[in-house]
Structure formats: structure tokens, C-alpha cells
Amino acid sequence: MADNVEDDSLDRIKGGDYVVLKRGDIFKAVQIQPKKKVIFEKQWFFLDNSVGQLHGSTFEIASGGILQPQKPKDTESSTDAKEAGTDNRNIVDDGKSQKLTRDDIENLKEQGLKDQEIIQQLVENSSTFSGKTKYAQAKYINKKKKKYENTVTILKPSCRILAMMYHGREPGKICHLRYDMLAQMLTLANIHAGSKVLVFETCAGLVLGSVMERMGGYGSVIQMYPGGGPVRAGVESFGFPAHFHDMLHEFPICHVNALLAGTLDTTAKDPDAVSNQSDMAAEEEQNPPKAEQTSSPEEIKTEEIKMETNSGADDGYDPAKEEREKRIEAKAQEKKVKQEEKRKKLASAAALLEGRNADGLVIASRFHPCPVLMGLIKFLSPSRPFVVYSQYKEPLIECYTKLKELGGTVNLRLADTWLRHYQVLPNRTHPLLLMSGGGGYLLSGTTVAVDRSNRAGSQRAEEPAPKRLKVEDTDG
Amino acid sequence: MSFVEYSDLIQDGDVAIVYLGHESMMPVKVQQGAQTQTRYGVIRHSSDLIGQRYGSKVTCSKGGWVYVLHPTPELWTVTLPHRTQILYTTDIATITMMLELKPGSVVCESGTGSGSLSHAILRSIAPSGHLHTVEFHQQRAEKAAEEFKEHHVDRLVTVRNQDVCKDGFGVTGVADAVFLDIPSPWEAVGHAKAAMKRQGGRVSSFSPCIEQVQRTCEALADQGFEEISTLEVLLRVHDVRTVYLPMPDFGPDPSSQTRPDAAEIKPPTSVALKTTTLPRETQGHTGYLTFATKPRT
């Protein structure tokens, strides 16, 4: 039952690992790379020394940006003051209470003094410190600690840490999705191992990564993406094992309509590429390929190029030209392989979607949520949850109204969450900061089978009708 | 059906959630030959449920209809038979993320209570994790164990009938996360630490009163826990509705009298507006959630 020692190897930091640096409440995600300078909280250092240490270790930043594992903490008794005042009636702000000048402090820093030693010096040279209440003393020390601390903790990434990091550092990149709201989404969408989940997000991959973490590599996630390709920077930061990526599929939303209409041909060449071809190439492409199945658009392209070069090579043999030709051909070959891969990916994602039996839908994007939801909800099985996040409430009101009109969903709920942190200290317990609003809104619900016989009738019915009648009655 | 795995068709022995209307649902144990009474009439399990697809509409004897939903921990939370106060989805969601639960996590929980959180934990840690849950009330412990079996999740959970404050969780050095929802969590903090892996992990405690929180935080600090943080999350539900705001009548406007036909166009008496309202009364407090990290030892 108890873990054995060799388990340690899994907990040790390796080169190439994705980790999160932490100091106080500040996080930063980085990859461990040899001799790479990392800037964190106005300090720079190298992560090389962290390799081989345990995740969760704290390091001191020595001169030259070298990390040194922190020795077991000596308790802060050194800075604990023996005497303390009871109130501040005799404390006057004359700006002269600190005997050390700025230069003195800089000097101390240059001497390589530890943060605790600097704070000790500051305390000793503060004429008012001993007169402060013990609470004010603790506050003073904490403030100085924050300023002079030169340690960094290296953590294994998780949904909790990354969600807090993004919210603190780059809320704009994740549509201001607050971490407690992300938690609601994962739970309300019943994300768990073995299911088939659709994700549409423009949150740098944070939502996608969180969904993948909760699925633990079991089941499948289909990322529906806008534009040229899926954004997954945040997914990288999770540092998932390789097999997690086997569960991840992608499908461009620009093909959703075709897929729904059954006109998406995934056996054909890459549709994106086709649209970029010249008319002639496209025409040729539609003709049934006589010579095997190799006449892909790329090949046609190379042929075109060949033809061009041939026509220009009338006046003799040119080795440079041949070389160039070869390079072009190699490049085309490479491109062809890539496109074939892309086509296969598209086909596999399309196959997963075609059954329209997905188990969950998670939307969190900067796009108008209404068309996204209306398009993607069609891929869900009945009796499956969906969640739509939006930074703004109004578009979700529209989604709500539209879903009520169309039917096919129950348990619709538009909500947000309210988060409050507390400082809990003896005799000093109180709420920390209010985080009302800014966390965005969430529309959630459950799909049900669409009732065909009743569908036309329910278009108009449902909500506002009776109330309007009432109002009109009283008016006129 | 299982709480940790979706299936398409309703089978004998399943638990199905009958959706009667907004905020009105009930759990039904599907049994060959059984009947369930609803306000829309009777549901006959053999013909109306078994073999039907989850999410389909079922017409009851009086001509009314209901939807039958696949069970999820969230639906179970709002329909389960209460044996105690329970944790609701908003707190559960926060706990799940802050405890970093995922497939494979080993979790300790006390008390089991009505099993609201337990089902959510099991969903998140399946298929390879395990839940050790401790409930000192014998009848509740037995009932919970029975439910886990009915819900086909018993292989993922061990229920122990003991006092967590005295006897701990019954396991040592195995847990990635510990959750405490008991009146005196500070008495169980030491046991929580003992139950956790040497590599460390996350702990959480739910308490309604701030005095409980203070004692718990003190105990956590004494036991060497780090990153101690207390927070509160509340759900605000917005009711979507159309409101009609009456328009004031300022009487005829002389400046518009220049056109003879102007008098015929009456200004609207009210304007429709799609908006949301907050319920008149809403939950103001459930409990404080305290989280901490056990460092590696």
C-alpha cells in the first residue's frame, strides 16, 4: 500500500518538463531547458539546477541566476520581536524611522545577504518597529518578505494552478474565465474518463487541457477550431504524457455545415488545398485519377512546376536547375505527407462526429456563443450535458431564448459564481478581496430527444406569450 | 447505466432521472414490472422505460409527458434522498478542481453523509482511482454502501464505519487528496496527513462557521500544511425573462402636429425587453472551503 522509494523517479524534475514557477501567489509556466534564462518577478535565473530535484521543491536564487535547493526552513524566530506596542498613539510618520538608506540596502543585497537577513537588518534599524503592535509587526515583516524574497518554488502543472495562473497573468487570453467558473464548467459538463467530448474554445488551450486532465487519457476529445488551426499553447503547459495526445482530435468549424449536411468528403484531398489550387488543377482533381491514386493536388503542382522549368530549359543542361527541381520535389513530397496526415485527422474527427453521439459539449470563446452552440449541439446524444461560457451575459440570454424556442433541451440555467477569499489568522480573520463579476457567465443544460411531432407547434409557444397577453390586457 | 459511464439505452436495474419540469425531478430505480406514479400519471417501467433511449420523452397514463435522463452526479445531487445536509454542485465543482482530482486519484472523505460529494468524486477518479470514505453513523454508512452497489460504482469505493477523528481513514500513505465535512475537522487533520502519500497532496475542509475554519487553519499550520487558503463560492442563478416597461405619455406633441397624419401614429404604450432577474431570495452561505497542500515528507 505505502509507496515505495522508486516512485520518486516520477516526481523528479527532468529536462524538457513543463513546470510552473511560484512565488507567493504569482505563477509562471515554463519548460525546463538547458542554459535557458528565465525571468520571473524581476529576477532572472537558470533552471538547470532544478533537474533531478523533486517537484514542489523551493530554490534560492544565488548570484549568477543559479538555483540552490532551499535548506530546511529555520523558523522565523529571528525576526520575532520580543516587545510590541499596544496602539499607534505615539507613532509619528516623520519619514526617518528607517535608519538604513536605500544605498545601504542595495549594498546588503550586493553582499548576497539572504532575504531573512535583510529583513532582520531593516527591523533592527527601524526606530518604530518595537513600538508597533504585534499585528503591525507581522504585517511589516510580511511586506518586506515579499519585497526581498528571492526564492522560487517549482511545481508540477495542474488545472488548478494553470487556471489561477492565467487568470492572474493573462485574463484577456482566456476571455476572463475565472478559475472557479472553469471548475463549474468541468463539473456541469460531467467531464470524466471514457466519454466523447466536444470542446470549442479560444482560451489558449486552458479549457481543452483541463478537459483532457479530467479525462485522464481515456475517451476522446474533439477540439472544434476556428481559422487555420487549433490553438493549444495552454495544453502544452499541462505537460501531459504522450498517450494523452492520442485522445485528442481536431475538426475545423468551417466544415461543420458540410458535415451536418452529409456533403463533407473526407476521402478527397484536403479541401483547403483544393480551394487554393488553380481552376485547372481543381478540374483535373475532379477527374477520376487514372494513374493510381497518387495524383494529389501537390503532385499536380509539381508537375506544373516541372512543365514550367522544362519549357525554360530549352537551351541546354543546367545542374543548378536540376538541383532546384529536386528540392522543390522533396518539399512537395513533404507537403504531401503533411496534407495526407491532415486529411486523415479530418477524416477521423469527422468519423467521431458523424454518429452525432458525443457525450458532452464545452464552449468558451470570444465568438458569439449562439451560432456556435446551435451548430455544435447537434452532435450530442440525447441526455447529455452542455456548458457555454461567455464573458458577457446578453449573448447567453439569446442562447437561452433560442434553445427554448427550438426545444431539445431541459434544465437550462444561466448563472455565474461569486468568489470570496478569506484571511484566516488569530484575531485577524476577514474577507480578503471581493471578486464579484468579471468571472463571466455560464449557460448549462441537458439535451433530450427532439420531438418531431411537436416541433412546429413549440416554435412560438413556451415562454413570453402569456405574460404579454396579460400586459396588453391591462393596458388596453 | 453507471454514474461513471454513459450508456444509450435504459436497462433493468438502472437508476434513471425523471424530469417532470423546471427544477422538478425524481430518481427512479428501473425494475421489470414496476410502476412509478407522477403527477402526469403512471410510468410503467417494462414498456415505458426499459429499452428506451436515455433522453427520450415518455408519455404517462394521463397523457402528460416526462423526459427520462441518464443519471449524473449533478442530477443525483438534486434528487437524492437526504439523510444529512449535503454539498451542492457549486461547492463540489470547486472542491474537485482545488483538490486536483482526476482519473486515478486516491481520495479520502469523511463523512460520507448522503453521498452527494462521493458520487462526484467517483465520477472524477474513475476508472483507476479509489475513494475511501468514512462515516461514523452506522445506518448511513450501510445505506451509502448499498447505493454505491446499486449505482455500479462499488468497485471504486470502500466505506468504513468508524470515527475519523479517533480512528482515522483506515488507510495510511495512499491518498492524493482528503476531504473533510465533519463538525470538528481540526481533530481529523492529523489523520488526514497520515492518510496522504509521502509525496504530498491536497486537503480540503468544508465548515459553515468561521470559528471552525479558524481552528482548522491552526491545526493545518501546526501539522505543516502549506498554501492554506480559505474561500467561499456562491452560485447566482439568473432567471431569463421578457419584461415590459410601460412608456410614459407626455400628451400630444405640438411640434409634430405639422403633419396631419401624425396623430394616427400612437407611440407604443410599452416596450418589451429581454433581460434577467436575480431571484428574490438566494443562498447567501453554504460553507467556507479551506484548502491546503501537504508538502512532501
Side-chain angles (χ1 to χ4, degrees), chain A residues 21-305:
Chain A
L21 310 178
K22 176 182 188 279
R23 178 187 297 163
D25 297 326
I26 316 281
F27 299 95
K28 180 176 181 161
V30 294
Q31 189 182 17
I32 305 268
Q33 284 169 327
K35 299 207 174 73
K36 192 191 164 198
K37 199 181 215 177
V38 175
I39 299 167
F40 179 55
E41 285 295 280
K42 292 176 190 161
Q43 274 180 305
W44 56 269
F45 47 86
F46 298 95
L47 292 168
D48 302 58
N49 270 6
S50 69
V51 174
Q53 301 291 330
L54 293 159
H55 280 282
S57 304
T58 300
F59 299 87
E60 274 165 19
I61 302 161
S63 57
I66 294 164
L67 295 183
Q68 287 172 345
Q70 195 183 41
K71 284 150 209 107
K73 264 187 253 165
D74 32 344
T75 40
E76 286 129 32
S77 55
S78 55
T79 45
D80 269 355
K82 310 288 170 295
E83 45 179 332
T86 49
D87 56 44
N88 58 9
R89 74 182 76 190
N90 296 319
I91 295 181
V92 185
D93 183 11
D94 55 2
K96 292 178 201 151
S97 54
Q98 183 54 253
K99 298 283 180 289
L100 292 179
T101 63
R102 182 187 296 230
D103 291 342
D104 293 337
I105 298 170
E106 283 304 316
N107 259 330
L108 290 176
K109 271 201 208 158
E110 269 163 36
Q111 285 168 32
L113 247 61
K114 300 254 165 59
D115 50 338
Q116 268 187 26
E117 293 161 340
I118 295 177
I119 294 164
Q120 183 68 27
Q121 293 276 339
L122 288 170
V123 166
E124 278 166 13
N125 287 289
S126 166
S127 56
T128 48
F129 186 83
S130 59
K132 289 180 189 224
T133 65
K134 61 178 180 184
Y135 303 128
Q137 287 178 347
K139 208 168 164 184
Y140 180 87
I141 288 170
N142 266 332
K143 221 163 112 187
K144 297 298 174 198
K145 214 185 249 168
K146 240 181 206 164
K147 196 166 168 189
Y148 295 106
E149 194 171 47
N150 60 348
T151 61
V152 60
T153 305
I154 300 186
L155 300 170
K156 217 172 185 161
S158 71
C159 160
R160 167 182 74 100
I161 291 166
L162 293 173
M164 291 175 83
M165 179 192 83
Y166 269 106
H167 186 260
R169 289 182 87 85
E170 304 174 297
K173 272 199 183 162
I174 55 164
C175 304
H176 293 259
L177 171 67
R178 210 205 287 137
Y179 41 93
D180 56 315
M181 194 61 108
L182 177 60
Q184 304 302 317
M185 291 172 71
L186 296 169
T187 295
L188 289 172
N190 192 21
I191 303 299
H192 64 275
S195 40
K196 186 201 283 190
V197 181
L198 304 192
V199 178
F200 179 83
E201 66 131 284
T202 58
C203 295
L206 171 68
V207 175
L208 181 65
S210 305
V211 168
M212 287 169 71
E213 182 185 281
R214 285 291 179 90
M215 294 178 66
Y218 305 93
S220 45
V221 181
I222 306 145
Q223 181 183 14
M224 313 294 287
Y225 65 90
V231 176
R232 288 174 181 169
V235 179
E236 293 286 291
S237 301
F238 280 82
F240 291 129
H243 71 94
F244 271 51
H245 292 276
D246 299 342
M247 71 187 287
L248 182 54
H249 304 264
E250 62 207 42
F251 190 85
I253 51 161
C254 61
H255 292 326
V256 163
N257 278 337
L259 184 64
L260 285 168
T263 56
L264 181 69
D265 185 6
T266 52
T267 59
K269 326 298 174 255
D270 189 312
D272 293 336
V274 170
S275 61
N276 292 335
Q277 292 297 315
S278 65
D279 284 356
M280 190 194 80
E283 222 167 64
E284 245 190 84
E285 203 239 325
Q286 270 164 13
N287 293 336
K290 276 173 241 160
E292 289 113 322
Q293 0 113 261
T294 49
S295 76
S296 81
E298 300 76 46
E299 196 134 301
I300 292 160
K301 213 177 197 172
T302 14
E303 265 166 23
E304 278 175 318
I305 295 163

Side-chain angles (χ1 to χ4, degrees), chain B:
Chain B
M1 156 319 299
S2 154
F3 274 75
V4 297
E5 209 172 344
Y6 281 119
S7 47
D8 287 333
L9 302 182
I10 305 169
Q11 291 177 320
D12 192 10
D14 280 4
V15 172
I17 309 292
V18 173
Y19 178 88
L20 297 154
H22 187 63
E23 305 261 294
S24 171
M25 284 179 273
M26 58 194 268
V28 170
K29 201 153 72 178
V30 179
Q31 279 173 310
Q32 197 73 248
Q35 295 189 346
T36 299
Q37 292 291 339
T38 74
R39 62 179 132 100
Y40 300 113
V42 73
I43 300 171
R44 291 184 178 80
H45 293 199
S46 308
S47 55
D48 296 338
L49 297 181
I50 294 172
Q52 298 294 313
R53 200 160 185 207
Y54 276 109
S56 51
K57 191 185 246 190
V58 170
T59 309
C60 305
S61 61
K62 288 184 197 161
W65 45 263
V66 298
Y67 284 108
V68 189
L69 303 181
H70 195 286
T72 66
E74 289 60 56
L75 292 174
W76 181 246
T77 288
V78 291
T79 54
L80 60 83
H82 281 223
R83 301 181 284 272
T84 55
Q85 263 285 10
I86 63 163
L87 280 167
Y88 288 95
T89 298
T90 313
D91 286 318
I92 290 173
T94 312
I95 292 163
T96 309
M97 177 194 264
M98 295 308 234
L99 287 183
E100 302 186 342
L101 303 189
K102 53 192 176 212
S105 297
V106 177
V107 186
C108 289
E109 175 205 33
S110 186
T112 315
S114 305
S116 171
L117 175 68
S118 315
H119 280 81
I121 293 175
L122 289 167
R123 174 265 318 274
S124 300
I125 64 172
S128 47
H130 200 87
L131 172 65
H132 299 273
T133 184
V134 173
E135 170 62 55
F136 70 172
H137 191 286
Q138 194 194 341
Q139 200 188 353
R140 278 185 220 146
E142 282 166 5
K143 191 72 199 153
E146 197 181 298
E147 260 172 21
F148 293 137
K149 211 172 173 96
E150 273 176 21
H151 298 166
H152 312 300
V153 289
D154 47 321
R155 70 195 158 82
L156 294 167
V157 54
T158 309
V159 185
R160 290 185 177 83
N161 178 212
Q162 60 192 40
D163 183 351
V164 72
C165 296
K166 284 205 191 81
D167 313 316
F169 289 94
V171 286
T172 49
V174 300
D176 297 290
V178 175
F179 178 76
L180 297 169
D181 179 10
I182 52 174
S184 54
W186 56 91
E187 291 178 28
V189 165
H191 294 298
K193 192 180 176 187
M196 295 173 84
K197 281 183 179 159
R198 191 167 56 93
Q199 286 92 330
R202 296 277 293 165
V203 66
S204 171
S205 168
F206 175 93
S207 295
C209 303
I210 200 73
E211 291 82 358
Q212 293 170 303
V213 173
Q214 285 181 308
R215 296 185 72 168
T216 308
C217 285
E218 222 169 295
L220 286 168
D222 286 348
Q223 292 280 350
F225 282 85
E226 294 172 355
E227 280 189 286
I228 302 170
S229 140
T230 299
L231 53 86
E232 194 182 12
V233 183
L234 285 172
L235 185 75
R236 299 203 307 170
V237 177
H238 304 260
D239 293 325
V240 179
R241 57 180 51 181
T242 310
V243 296
Y244 296 88
L245 301 179
M247 299 299 279
D249 180 8
F250 285 107
D253 184 355
S255 65
S256 68
Q257 287 296 313
T258 47
R259 278 183 19 235
D261 57 330
E264 282 165 35
I265 307 162
K266 271 191 185 162
T269 53
S270 72
V271 167
L273 201 66
K274 215 52 175 161
T275 185
T276 66
T277 55
L278 287 168
R280 213 166 66 84
E281 261 187 342
T282 180
Q283 198 148 37
H285 179 65
T286 54
Y288 300 104
L289 288 167
T290 299
F291 298 97
T293 301
K294 175 192 172 278
R296 191 198 169 78
T297 43

